[in-house]
Amino acid sequence: MDPIRNPYAPGAGQRPPELAGRDEQLRAFDVVLERIARGRPERSVILTGLRGVGKTVLLNALRSSAVRAGWGTGKFEARPDQGIRRPLGAALHTAVRELAHPDANTTLGTIRSFIERDAGPRAKLAERWNPGIQVPPTPGRADSGDIEIDLVELFTDVGGLAADKGVGVAVCIDEMQDLRADDLSALCAACHEISQQRLPLIIVGAGLPHLPTALSASKSYSERLFRYLRIDRLDREAADRALQMPAEDEEASFDDEALAAMYQVTSGYPYFIQAYGKVTWDLAPASPITADDITVATPEAEAELAVGFFGSRYERATPAEREYLRAMAEIADPDSSTEGVPTSAVAEKLDRTPQSLSPARDALLKKGLVYACERGQVAFTVPHFGRYLRSQLA
């Protein structure tokens, strides 16, 4: 089939042609936007899930909903090696510009004060970044050096500006689990204060499954501060729609057996649907696409995933960490892509004590390759990662 007309988009954070299975979350967020704009109390929103379930895509879709509602929005991706001042300040700068308030200069000055406040007397020169704000800093506002105090003042000024226009501000944070512990704690405290003031500013975060645990550890009330939405694989109906509707737009289709075969190999994970769909389209000789076409395309699709989706992550691990990952894969249920394995079983498999494996396990947790799904258990953050590792061991 014509590769130029191939509708599938297996890119990181790239919106698929059909955003299937997320209608409930989109509708719920529209209600949040309207309630906040009317001065009603609402919680910030946290999306959690494994890699490849479409958290970033949904985060972008929620931001688009806020833009359509006339809100100011900004977005940044958290990084473990970067503090929150620069990326959050830049995101709020974007949000204030979108609000187009005629008296925004004072608030822009607060944002600049927040960004330019050095972490200390020995702050690196690289951190003294020019934010591109063409107004002077506002002295004595969001520049105390205490991140919690400064965030409250910053959010108060930005939220007040939005309230004056009868709308709100949504700050979207991707990979939120990578925020530093002190920044995460301060963010929770600032959101708590803003919610009490009924100011129209919310955080819309996305992160791995252990993000709620990290938030709870930073502030005990975070369990009541956020609305948690777990983003999972698509059910069969939504997965079929994600394949069929883009194909129909190009005057093509999948037969019923092909759809069943596709769900079998992808388990309904949105990224896999796009990846297998793209390869299948390119290799299929004609429409309708059949189960035989899926069988032919599967090895090539898996080879591409082995290099880009799985291999790139595996390469980030040290030899000791790879040993830990391989042991997890051998213990894990081959018919499950998400269930955890006991850390004690990993130690037994490697004939080591659990304590001696703690450095490797902790490093994998920090790299986002595994997460603590339950007490004493770890699981892969990447669907089908165990299956990939077992194929490498075969």
Side-chain angles (χ1 to χ4, degrees), residues 114-140:
F114 176 78
I115 294 173
E116 294 185 349
R117 177 59 169 88
D118 289 339
R122 296 183 181 180
K124 297 178 182 178
L125 183 61
E127 293 179 357
R128 298 171 186 171
W129 170 66
N130 182 357
I133 298 175
Q134 303 303 315
V135 298
T138 302

mmCIF file with all atom_site columns, all heavy atoms in Angstrom, residues 114-140:
data_model
loop_
_atom_site.group_PDB
_atom_site.id
_atom_site.type_symbol
_atom_site.label_atom_id
_atom_site.label_alt_id
_atom_site.label_comp_id
_atom_site.label_asym_id
_atom_site.label_entity_id
_atom_site.label_seq_id
_atom_site.pdbx_PDB_ins_code
_atom_site.Cartn_x
_atom_site.Cartn_y
_atom_site.Cartn_z
_atom_site.occupancy
_atom_site.B_iso_or_equiv
_atom_site.pdbx_formal_charge
_atom_site.auth_seq_id
_atom_site.auth_comp_id
_atom_site.auth_asym_id
_atom_site.auth_atom_id
_atom_site.pdbx_PDB_model_num
ATOM 1   N N   . PHE A 1 114 ? 11.167 35.446 39.910 1.00 0.00 ? 114 PHE A N   1
ATOM 2   C CA  . PHE A 1 114 ? 11.196 34.028 40.286 1.00 0.00 ? 114 PHE A CA  1
ATOM 3   C C   . PHE A 1 114 ? 12.289 33.281 39.521 1.00 0.00 ? 114 PHE A C   1
ATOM 4   O O   . PHE A 1 114 ? 13.049 32.504 40.100 1.00 0.00 ? 114 PHE A O   1
ATOM 5   C CB  . PHE A 1 114 ? 9.826  33.410 40.001 1.00 0.00 ? 114 PHE A CB  1
ATOM 6   C CG  . PHE A 1 114 ? 9.745  31.939 40.262 1.00 0.00 ? 114 PHE A CG  1
ATOM 7   C CD1 . PHE A 1 114 ? 9.608  31.457 41.559 1.00 0.00 ? 114 PHE A CD1 1
ATOM 8   C CD2 . PHE A 1 114 ? 9.782  31.027 39.224 1.00 0.00 ? 114 PHE A CD2 1
ATOM 9   C CE1 . PHE A 1 114 ? 9.529  30.104 41.822 1.00 0.00 ? 114 PHE A CE1 1
ATOM 10  C CE2 . PHE A 1 114 ? 9.699  29.654 39.458 1.00 0.00 ? 114 PHE A CE2 1
ATOM 11  C CZ  . PHE A 1 114 ? 9.573  29.198 40.762 1.00 0.00 ? 114 PHE A CZ  1
ATOM 12  N N   . ILE A 1 115 ? 12.379 33.526 38.211 1.00 0.00 ? 115 ILE A N   1
ATOM 13  C CA  . ILE A 1 115 ? 13.359 32.819 37.393 1.00 0.00 ? 115 ILE A CA  1
ATOM 14  C C   . ILE A 1 115 ? 14.781 33.214 37.762 1.00 0.00 ? 115 ILE A C   1
ATOM 15  O O   . ILE A 1 115 ? 15.675 32.360 37.877 1.00 0.00 ? 115 ILE A O   1
ATOM 16  C CB  . ILE A 1 115 ? 13.104 33.103 35.897 1.00 0.00 ? 115 ILE A CB  1
ATOM 17  C CG1 . ILE A 1 115 ? 11.766 32.507 35.444 1.00 0.00 ? 115 ILE A CG1 1
ATOM 18  C CG2 . ILE A 1 115 ? 14.228 32.542 35.031 1.00 0.00 ? 115 ILE A CG2 1
ATOM 19  C CD1 . ILE A 1 115 ? 11.364 32.881 34.032 1.00 0.00 ? 115 ILE A CD1 1
ATOM 20  N N   . GLU A 1 116 ? 14.988 34.508 37.934 1.00 0.00 ? 116 GLU A N   1
ATOM 21  C CA  . GLU A 1 116 ? 16.353 35.000 38.093 1.00 0.00 ? 116 GLU A CA  1
ATOM 22  C C   . GLU A 1 116 ? 16.895 34.886 39.509 1.00 0.00 ? 116 GLU A C   1
ATOM 23  O O   . GLU A 1 116 ? 18.076 35.147 39.740 1.00 0.00 ? 116 GLU A O   1
ATOM 24  C CB  . GLU A 1 116 ? 16.422 36.460 37.632 1.00 0.00 ? 116 GLU A CB  1
ATOM 25  C CG  . GLU A 1 116 ? 16.179 36.620 36.137 1.00 0.00 ? 116 GLU A CG  1
ATOM 26  C CD  . GLU A 1 116 ? 16.378 38.046 35.660 1.00 0.00 ? 116 GLU A CD  1
ATOM 27  O OE1 . GLU A 1 116 ? 16.508 38.945 36.512 1.00 0.00 ? 116 GLU A OE1 1
ATOM 28  O OE2 . GLU A 1 116 ? 16.409 38.240 34.438 1.00 0.00 ? 116 GLU A OE2 1
ATOM 29  N N   . ARG A 1 117 ? 16.038 34.488 40.445 1.00 0.00 ? 117 ARG A N   1
ATOM 30  C CA  . ARG A 1 117 ? 16.517 34.342 41.823 1.00 0.00 ? 117 ARG A CA  1
ATOM 31  C C   . ARG A 1 117 ? 17.516 33.201 41.890 1.00 0.00 ? 117 ARG A C   1
ATOM 32  O O   . ARG A 1 117 ? 17.208 32.056 41.631 1.00 0.00 ? 117 ARG A O   1
ATOM 33  C CB  . ARG A 1 117 ? 15.347 34.064 42.774 1.00 0.00 ? 117 ARG A CB  1
ATOM 34  C CG  . ARG A 1 117 ? 15.747 33.835 44.230 1.00 0.00 ? 117 ARG A CG  1
ATOM 35  C CD  . ARG A 1 117 ? 16.483 35.056 44.770 1.00 0.00 ? 117 ARG A CD  1
ATOM 36  N NE  . ARG A 1 117 ? 16.663 34.996 46.203 1.00 0.00 ? 117 ARG A NE  1
ATOM 37  C CZ  . ARG A 1 117 ? 17.702 34.424 46.814 1.00 0.00 ? 117 ARG A CZ  1
ATOM 38  N NH1 . ARG A 1 117 ? 18.633 33.810 46.098 1.00 0.00 ? 117 ARG A NH1 1
ATOM 39  N NH2 . ARG A 1 117 ? 17.802 34.446 48.132 1.00 0.00 ? 117 ARG A NH2 1
ATOM 40  N N   . ASP A 1 118 ? 18.770 33.520 42.249 1.00 0.00 ? 118 ASP A N   1
ATOM 41  C CA  . ASP A 1 118 ? 19.803 32.488 42.335 1.00 0.00 ? 118 ASP A CA  1
ATOM 42  C C   . ASP A 1 118 ? 19.484 31.516 43.457 1.00 0.00 ? 118 ASP A C   1
ATOM 43  O O   . ASP A 1 118 ? 18.896 31.873 44.483 1.00 0.00 ? 118 ASP A O   1
ATOM 44  C CB  . ASP A 1 118 ? 21.174 33.120 42.604 1.00 0.00 ? 118 ASP A CB  1
ATOM 45  C CG  . ASP A 1 118 ? 21.705 33.885 41.401 1.00 0.00 ? 118 ASP A CG  1
ATOM 46  O OD1 . ASP A 1 118 ? 21.249 33.615 40.269 1.00 0.00 ? 118 ASP A OD1 1
ATOM 47  O OD2 . ASP A 1 118 ? 22.559 34.748 41.602 1.00 0.00 ? 118 ASP A OD2 1
ATOM 48  N N   . ALA A 1 119 ? 19.877 30.267 43.237 1.00 0.00 ? 119 ALA A N   1
ATOM 49  C CA  . ALA A 1 119 ? 19.690 29.250 44.278 1.00 0.00 ? 119 ALA A CA  1
ATOM 50  C C   . ALA A 1 119 ? 20.558 29.529 45.494 1.00 0.00 ? 119 ALA A C   1
ATOM 51  O O   . ALA A 1 119 ? 20.326 29.012 46.569 1.00 0.00 ? 119 ALA A O   1
ATOM 52  C CB  . ALA A 1 119 ? 19.998 27.874 43.712 1.00 0.00 ? 119 ALA A CB  1
ATOM 53  N N   . GLY A 1 120 ? 21.572 30.347 45.340 1.00 0.00 ? 120 GLY A N   1
ATOM 54  C CA  . GLY A 1 120 ? 22.483 30.664 46.438 1.00 0.00 ? 120 GLY A CA  1
ATOM 55  C C   . GLY A 1 120 ? 23.597 31.544 45.927 1.00 0.00 ? 120 GLY A C   1
ATOM 56  O O   . GLY A 1 120 ? 23.690 31.848 44.737 1.00 0.00 ? 120 GLY A O   1
ATOM 57  N N   . PRO A 1 121 ? 24.500 31.971 46.788 1.00 0.00 ? 121 PRO A N   1
ATOM 58  C CA  . PRO A 1 121 ? 25.576 32.865 46.370 1.00 0.00 ? 121 PRO A CA  1
ATOM 59  C C   . PRO A 1 121 ? 26.526 32.248 45.373 1.00 0.00 ? 121 PRO A C   1
ATOM 60  O O   . PRO A 1 121 ? 27.228 32.950 44.664 1.00 0.00 ? 121 PRO A O   1
ATOM 61  C CB  . PRO A 1 121 ? 26.277 33.200 47.688 1.00 0.00 ? 121 PRO A CB  1
ATOM 62  C CG  . PRO A 1 121 ? 25.904 32.093 48.622 1.00 0.00 ? 121 PRO A CG  1
ATOM 63  C CD  . PRO A 1 121 ? 24.534 31.690 48.222 1.00 0.00 ? 121 PRO A CD  1
ATOM 64  N N   . ARG A 1 122 ? 26.566 30.924 45.305 1.00 0.00 ? 122 ARG A N   1
ATOM 65  C CA  . ARG A 1 122 ? 27.478 30.253 44.389 1.00 0.00 ? 122 ARG A CA  1
ATOM 66  C C   . ARG A 1 122 ? 26.735 29.620 43.208 1.00 0.00 ? 122 ARG A C   1
ATOM 67  O O   . ARG A 1 122 ? 27.184 28.648 42.620 1.00 0.00 ? 122 ARG A O   1
ATOM 68  C CB  . ARG A 1 122 ? 28.277 29.177 45.123 1.00 0.00 ? 122 ARG A CB  1
ATOM 69  C CG  . ARG A 1 122 ? 29.193 29.751 46.221 1.00 0.00 ? 122 ARG A CG  1
ATOM 70  C CD  . ARG A 1 122 ? 30.010 28.650 46.867 1.00 0.00 ? 122 ARG A CD  1
ATOM 71  N NE  . ARG A 1 122 ? 30.861 29.181 47.911 1.00 0.00 ? 122 ARG A NE  1
ATOM 72  C CZ  . ARG A 1 122 ? 31.686 28.437 48.658 1.00 0.00 ? 122 ARG A CZ  1
ATOM 73  N NH1 . ARG A 1 122 ? 31.740 27.124 48.455 1.00 0.00 ? 122 ARG A NH1 1
ATOM 74  N NH2 . ARG A 1 122 ? 32.425 28.989 49.593 1.00 0.00 ? 122 ARG A NH2 1
ATOM 75  N N   . ALA A 1 123 ? 25.588 30.156 42.891 1.00 0.00 ? 123 ALA A N   1
ATOM 76  C CA  . ALA A 1 123 ? 24.810 29.606 41.781 1.00 0.00 ? 123 ALA A CA  1
ATOM 77  C C   . ALA A 1 123 ? 25.616 29.658 40.494 1.00 0.00 ? 123 ALA A C   1
ATOM 78  O O   . ALA A 1 123 ? 26.372 30.587 40.246 1.00 0.00 ? 123 ALA A O   1
ATOM 79  C CB  . ALA A 1 123 ? 23.514 30.399 41.610 1.00 0.00 ? 123 ALA A CB  1
ATOM 80  N N   . LYS A 1 124 ? 25.459 28.624 39.694 1.00 0.00 ? 124 LYS A N   1
ATOM 81  C CA  . LYS A 1 124 ? 26.190 28.548 38.443 1.00 0.00 ? 124 LYS A CA  1
ATOM 82  C C   . LYS A 1 124 ? 25.751 29.667 37.503 1.00 0.00 ? 124 LYS A C   1
ATOM 83  O O   . LYS A 1 124 ? 24.594 30.042 37.442 1.00 0.00 ? 124 LYS A O   1
ATOM 84  C CB  . LYS A 1 124 ? 25.950 27.191 37.770 1.00 0.00 ? 124 LYS A CB  1
ATOM 85  C CG  . LYS A 1 124 ? 26.464 26.017 38.577 1.00 0.00 ? 124 LYS A CG  1
ATOM 86  C CD  . LYS A 1 124 ? 26.131 24.712 37.865 1.00 0.00 ? 124 LYS A CD  1
ATOM 87  C CE  . LYS A 1 124 ? 26.597 23.513 38.686 1.00 0.00 ? 124 LYS A CE  1
ATOM 88  N NZ  . LYS A 1 124 ? 26.236 22.240 38.024 1.00 0.00 ? 124 LYS A NZ  1
ATOM 89  N N   . LEU A 1 125 ? 26.710 30.169 36.756 1.00 0.00 ? 125 LEU A N   1
ATOM 90  C CA  . LEU A 1 125 ? 26.418 31.237 35.807 1.00 0.00 ? 125 LEU A CA  1
ATOM 91  C C   . LEU A 1 125 ? 25.375 30.797 34.793 1.00 0.00 ? 125 LEU A C   1
ATOM 92  O O   . LEU A 1 125 ? 24.529 31.573 34.365 1.00 0.00 ? 125 LEU A O   1
ATOM 93  C CB  . LEU A 1 125 ? 27.711 31.651 35.081 1.00 0.00 ? 125 LEU A CB  1
ATOM 94  C CG  . LEU A 1 125 ? 27.595 32.828 34.101 1.00 0.00 ? 125 LEU A CG  1
ATOM 95  C CD1 . LEU A 1 125 ? 27.154 34.086 34.843 1.00 0.00 ? 125 LEU A CD1 1
ATOM 96  C CD2 . LEU A 1 125 ? 28.936 33.066 33.404 1.00 0.00 ? 125 LEU A CD2 1
ATOM 97  N N   . ALA A 1 126 ? 25.406 29.489 34.427 1.00 0.00 ? 126 ALA A N   1
ATOM 98  C CA  . ALA A 1 126 ? 24.465 28.974 33.433 1.00 0.00 ? 126 ALA A CA  1
ATOM 99  C C   . ALA A 1 126 ? 23.022 29.065 33.914 1.00 0.00 ? 126 ALA A C   1
ATOM 100 O O   . ALA A 1 126 ? 22.091 29.102 33.113 1.00 0.00 ? 126 ALA A O   1
ATOM 101 C CB  . ALA A 1 126 ? 24.802 27.522 33.089 1.00 0.00 ? 126 ALA A CB  1
ATOM 102 N N   . GLU A 1 127 ? 22.835 29.112 35.249 1.00 0.00 ? 127 GLU A N   1
ATOM 103 C CA  . GLU A 1 127 ? 21.487 29.194 35.787 1.00 0.00 ? 127 GLU A CA  1
ATOM 104 C C   . GLU A 1 127 ? 20.926 30.612 35.725 1.00 0.00 ? 127 GLU A C   1
ATOM 105 O O   . GLU A 1 127 ? 19.740 30.831 35.906 1.00 0.00 ? 127 GLU A O   1
ATOM 106 C CB  . GLU A 1 127 ? 21.454 28.670 37.220 1.00 0.00 ? 127 GLU A CB  1
ATOM 107 C CG  . GLU A 1 127 ? 21.728 27.166 37.314 1.00 0.00 ? 127 GLU A CG  1
ATOM 108 C CD  . GLU A 1 127 ? 21.715 26.679 38.756 1.00 0.00 ? 127 GLU A CD  1
ATOM 109 O OE1 . GLU A 1 127 ? 21.543 27.523 39.648 1.00 0.00 ? 127 GLU A OE1 1
ATOM 110 O OE2 . GLU A 1 127 ? 21.876 25.472 38.962 1.00 0.00 ? 127 GLU A OE2 1
ATOM 111 N N   . ARG A 1 128 ? 21.815 31.606 35.510 1.00 0.00 ? 128 ARG A N   1
ATOM 112 C CA  . ARG A 1 128 ? 21.361 32.994 35.413 1.00 0.00 ? 128 ARG A CA  1
ATOM 113 C C   . ARG A 1 128 ? 20.933 33.261 33.977 1.00 0.00 ? 128 ARG A C   1
ATOM 114 O O   . ARG A 1 128 ? 21.638 33.861 33.177 1.00 0.00 ? 128 ARG A O   1
ATOM 115 C CB  . ARG A 1 128 ? 22.480 33.935 35.849 1.00 0.00 ? 128 ARG A CB  1
ATOM 116 C CG  . ARG A 1 128 ? 22.871 33.710 37.303 1.00 0.00 ? 128 ARG A CG  1
ATOM 117 C CD  . ARG A 1 128 ? 24.114 34.486 37.666 1.00 0.00 ? 128 ARG A CD  1
ATOM 118 N NE  . ARG A 1 128 ? 24.547 34.159 39.019 1.00 0.00 ? 128 ARG A NE  1
ATOM 119 C CZ  . ARG A 1 128 ? 25.694 34.559 39.549 1.00 0.00 ? 128 ARG A CZ  1
ATOM 120 N NH1 . ARG A 1 128 ? 26.538 35.279 38.828 1.00 0.00 ? 128 ARG A NH1 1
ATOM 121 N NH2 . ARG A 1 128 ? 26.008 34.221 40.775 1.00 0.00 ? 128 ARG A NH2 1
ATOM 122 N N   . TRP A 1 129 ? 19.759 32.783 33.683 1.00 0.00 ? 129 TRP A N   1
ATOM 123 C CA  . TRP A 1 129 ? 19.267 32.710 32.319 1.00 0.00 ? 129 TRP A CA  1
ATOM 124 C C   . TRP A 1 129 ? 18.383 33.901 32.012 1.00 0.00 ? 129 TRP A C   1
ATOM 125 O O   . TRP A 1 129 ? 17.589 34.345 32.827 1.00 0.00 ? 129 TRP A O   1
ATOM 126 C CB  . TRP A 1 129 ? 18.503 31.401 32.171 1.00 0.00 ? 129 TRP A CB  1
ATOM 127 C CG  . TRP A 1 129 ? 17.716 31.225 30.924 1.00 0.00 ? 129 TRP A CG  1
ATOM 128 C CD1 . TRP A 1 129 ? 18.187 31.111 29.659 1.00 0.00 ? 129 TRP A CD1 1
ATOM 129 C CD2 . TRP A 1 129 ? 16.299 31.117 30.842 1.00 0.00 ? 129 TRP A CD2 1
ATOM 130 N NE1 . TRP A 1 129 ? 17.158 30.929 28.776 1.00 0.00 ? 129 TRP A NE1 1
ATOM 131 C CE2 . TRP A 1 129 ? 15.990 30.934 29.478 1.00 0.00 ? 129 TRP A CE2 1
ATOM 132 C CE3 . TRP A 1 129 ? 15.268 31.160 31.772 1.00 0.00 ? 129 TRP A CE3 1
ATOM 133 C CZ2 . TRP A 1 129 ? 14.689 30.788 29.028 1.00 0.00 ? 129 TRP A CZ2 1
ATOM 134 C CZ3 . TRP A 1 129 ? 13.980 31.019 31.328 1.00 0.00 ? 129 TRP A CZ3 1
ATOM 135 C CH2 . TRP A 1 129 ? 13.695 30.835 29.977 1.00 0.00 ? 129 TRP A CH2 1
ATOM 136 N N   . ASN A 1 130 ? 18.512 34.464 30.827 1.00 0.00 ? 130 ASN A N   1
ATOM 137 C CA  . ASN A 1 130 ? 17.645 35.553 30.399 1.00 0.00 ? 130 ASN A CA  1
ATOM 138 C C   . ASN A 1 130 ? 16.325 34.975 29.911 1.00 0.00 ? 130 ASN A C   1
ATOM 139 O O   . ASN A 1 130 ? 16.287 34.299 28.885 1.00 0.00 ? 130 ASN A O   1
ATOM 140 C CB  . ASN A 1 130 ? 18.325 36.339 29.276 1.00 0.00 ? 130 ASN A CB  1
ATOM 141 C CG  . ASN A 1 130 ? 17.477 37.513 28.816 1.00 0.00 ? 130 ASN A CG  1
ATOM 142 O OD1 . ASN A 1 130 ? 16.367 37.720 29.289 1.00 0.00 ? 130 ASN A OD1 1
ATOM 143 N ND2 . ASN A 1 130 ? 18.018 38.292 27.896 1.00 0.00 ? 130 ASN A ND2 1
ATOM 144 N N   . PRO A 1 131 ? 15.235 35.213 30.613 1.00 0.00 ? 131 PRO A N   1
ATOM 145 C CA  . PRO A 1 131 ? 13.965 34.579 30.246 1.00 0.00 ? 131 PRO A CA  1
ATOM 146 C C   . PRO A 1 131 ? 13.266 35.235 29.061 1.00 0.00 ? 131 PRO A C   1
ATOM 147 O O   . PRO A 1 131 ? 12.215 34.768 28.645 1.00 0.00 ? 131 PRO A O   1
ATOM 148 C CB  . PRO A 1 131 ? 13.131 34.734 31.516 1.00 0.00 ? 131 PRO A CB  1
ATOM 149 C CG  . PRO A 1 131 ? 13.637 36.004 32.128 1.00 0.00 ? 131 PRO A CG  1
ATOM 150 C CD  . PRO A 1 131 ? 15.119 36.043 31.822 1.00 0.00 ? 131 PRO A CD  1
ATOM 151 N N   . GLY A 1 132 ? 13.786 36.319 28.529 1.00 0.00 ? 132 GLY A N   1
ATOM 152 C CA  . GLY A 1 132 ? 13.132 36.975 27.410 1.00 0.00 ? 132 GLY A CA  1
ATOM 153 C C   . GLY A 1 132 ? 11.971 37.849 27.820 1.00 0.00 ? 132 GLY A C   1
ATOM 154 O O   . GLY A 1 132 ? 11.176 38.263 26.968 1.00 0.00 ? 132 GLY A O   1
ATOM 155 N N   . ILE A 1 133 ? 11.843 38.152 29.089 1.00 0.00 ? 133 ILE A N   1
ATOM 156 C CA  . ILE A 1 133 ? 10.783 39.036 29.576 1.00 0.00 ? 133 ILE A CA  1
ATOM 157 C C   . ILE A 1 133 ? 11.298 40.472 29.528 1.00 0.00 ? 133 ILE A C   1
ATOM 158 O O   . ILE A 1 133 ? 12.328 40.790 30.130 1.00 0.00 ? 133 ILE A O   1
ATOM 159 C CB  . ILE A 1 133 ? 10.360 38.647 31.006 1.00 0.00 ? 133 ILE A CB  1
ATOM 160 C CG1 . ILE A 1 133 ? 9.801  37.217 31.008 1.00 0.00 ? 133 ILE A CG1 1
ATOM 161 C CG2 . ILE A 1 133 ? 9.330  39.622 31.550 1.00 0.00 ? 133 ILE A CG2 1
ATOM 162 C CD1 . ILE A 1 133 ? 9.466  36.688 32.384 1.00 0.00 ? 133 ILE A CD1 1
ATOM 163 N N   . GLN A 1 134 ? 10.591 41.309 28.824 1.00 0.00 ? 134 GLN A N   1
ATOM 164 C CA  . GLN A 1 134 ? 11.072 42.660 28.556 1.00 0.00 ? 134 GLN A CA  1
ATOM 165 C C   . GLN A 1 134 ? 10.640 43.686 29.603 1.00 0.00 ? 134 GLN A C   1
ATOM 166 O O   . GLN A 1 134 ? 10.572 44.875 29.302 1.00 0.00 ? 134 GLN A O   1
ATOM 167 C CB  . GLN A 1 134 ? 10.588 43.100 27.169 1.00 0.00 ? 134 GLN A CB  1
ATOM 168 C CG  . GLN A 1 134 ? 11.008 42.183 26.042 1.00 0.00 ? 134 GLN A CG  1
ATOM 169 C CD  . GLN A 1 134 ? 12.519 41.997 25.972 1.00 0.00 ? 134 GLN A CD  1
ATOM 170 O OE1 . GLN A 1 134 ? 13.283 42.962 26.068 1.00 0.00 ? 134 GLN A OE1 1
ATOM 171 N NE2 . GLN A 1 134 ? 12.948 40.753 25.809 1.00 0.00 ? 134 GLN A NE2 1
ATOM 172 N N   . VAL A 1 135 ? 10.335 43.234 30.809 1.00 0.00 ? 135 VAL A N   1
ATOM 173 C CA  . VAL A 1 135 ? 10.034 44.152 31.907 1.00 0.00 ? 135 VAL A CA  1
ATOM 174 C C   . VAL A 1 135 ? 10.990 43.830 33.049 1.00 0.00 ? 135 VAL A C   1
ATOM 175 O O   . VAL A 1 135 ? 11.461 42.691 33.174 1.00 0.00 ? 135 VAL A O   1
ATOM 176 C CB  . VAL A 1 135 ? 8.567  44.026 32.376 1.00 0.00 ? 135 VAL A CB  1
ATOM 177 C CG1 . VAL A 1 135 ? 7.617  44.390 31.251 1.00 0.00 ? 135 VAL A CG1 1
ATOM 178 C CG2 . VAL A 1 135 ? 8.279  42.623 32.882 1.00 0.00 ? 135 VAL A CG2 1
ATOM 179 N N   . PRO A 1 136 ? 11.298 44.792 33.901 1.00 0.00 ? 136 PRO A N   1
ATOM 180 C CA  . PRO A 1 136 ? 12.238 44.536 35.004 1.00 0.00 ? 136 PRO A CA  1
ATOM 181 C C   . PRO A 1 136 ? 11.624 43.626 36.060 1.00 0.00 ? 136 PRO A C   1
ATOM 182 O O   . PRO A 1 136 ? 10.397 43.535 36.182 1.00 0.00 ? 136 PRO A O   1
ATOM 183 C CB  . PRO A 1 136 ? 12.511 45.934 35.561 1.00 0.00 ? 136 PRO A CB  1
ATOM 184 C CG  . PRO A 1 136 ? 11.307 46.739 35.192 1.00 0.00 ? 136 PRO A CG  1
ATOM 185 C CD  . PRO A 1 136 ? 10.849 46.196 33.862 1.00 0.00 ? 136 PRO A CD  1
ATOM 186 N N   . PRO A 1 137 ? 12.467 42.931 36.832 1.00 0.00 ? 137 PRO A N   1
ATOM 187 C CA  . PRO A 1 137 ? 11.952 42.097 37.925 1.00 0.00 ? 137 PRO A CA  1
ATOM 188 C C   . PRO A 1 137 ? 11.177 42.941 38.930 1.00 0.00 ? 137 PRO A C   1
ATOM 189 O O   . PRO A 1 137 ? 11.435 44.140 39.102 1.00 0.00 ? 137 PRO A O   1
ATOM 190 C CB  . PRO A 1 137 ? 13.212 41.497 38.552 1.00 0.00 ? 137 PRO A CB  1
ATOM 191 C CG  . PRO A 1 137 ? 14.280 41.661 37.524 1.00 0.00 ? 137 PRO A CG  1
ATOM 192 C CD  . PRO A 1 137 ? 13.942 42.883 36.752 1.00 0.00 ? 137 PRO A CD  1
ATOM 193 N N   . THR A 1 138 ? 10.206 42.316 39.588 1.00 0.00 ? 138 THR A N   1
ATOM 194 C CA  . THR A 1 138 ? 9.453  42.976 40.644 1.00 0.00 ? 138 THR A CA  1
ATOM 195 C C   . THR A 1 138 ? 10.148 42.725 41.971 1.00 0.00 ? 138 THR A C   1
ATOM 196 O O   . THR A 1 138 ? 10.129 41.588 42.474 1.00 0.00 ? 138 THR A O   1
ATOM 197 C CB  . THR A 1 138 ? 8.011  42.449 40.707 1.00 0.00 ? 138 THR A CB  1
ATOM 198 O OG1 . THR A 1 138 ? 7.371  42.638 39.448 1.00 0.00 ? 138 THR A OG1 1
ATOM 199 C CG2 . THR A 1 138 ? 7.223  43.166 41.797 1.00 0.00 ? 138 THR A CG2 1
ATOM 200 N N   . PRO A 1 139 ? 10.792 43.708 42.567 1.00 0.00 ? 139 PRO A N   1
ATOM 201 C CA  . PRO A 1 139 ? 11.539 43.480 43.813 1.00 0.00 ? 139 PRO A CA  1
ATOM 202 C C   . PRO A 1 139 ? 10.625 43.006 44.934 1.00 0.00 ? 139 PRO A C   1
ATOM 203 O O   . PRO A 1 139 ? 9.490  43.468 45.080 1.00 0.00 ? 139 PRO A O   1
ATOM 204 C CB  . PRO A 1 139 ? 12.130 44.863 44.120 1.00 0.00 ? 139 PRO A CB  1
ATOM 205 C CG  . PRO A 1 139 ? 12.080 45.611 42.825 1.00 0.00 ? 139 PRO A CG  1
ATOM 206 C CD  . PRO A 1 139 ? 10.868 45.098 42.119 1.00 0.00 ? 139 PRO A CD  1
ATOM 207 N N   . GLY A 1 140 ? 11.121 42.049 45.704 1.00 0.00 ? 140 GLY A N   1
ATOM 208 C CA  . GLY A 1 140 ? 10.386 41.575 46.864 1.00 0.00 ? 140 GLY A CA  1
ATOM 209 C C   . GLY A 1 140 ? 9.222  40.670 46.551 1.00 0.00 ? 140 GLY A C   1
ATOM 210 O O   . GLY A 1 140 ? 8.361  40.441 47.412 1.00 0.00 ? 140 GLY A O   1
#
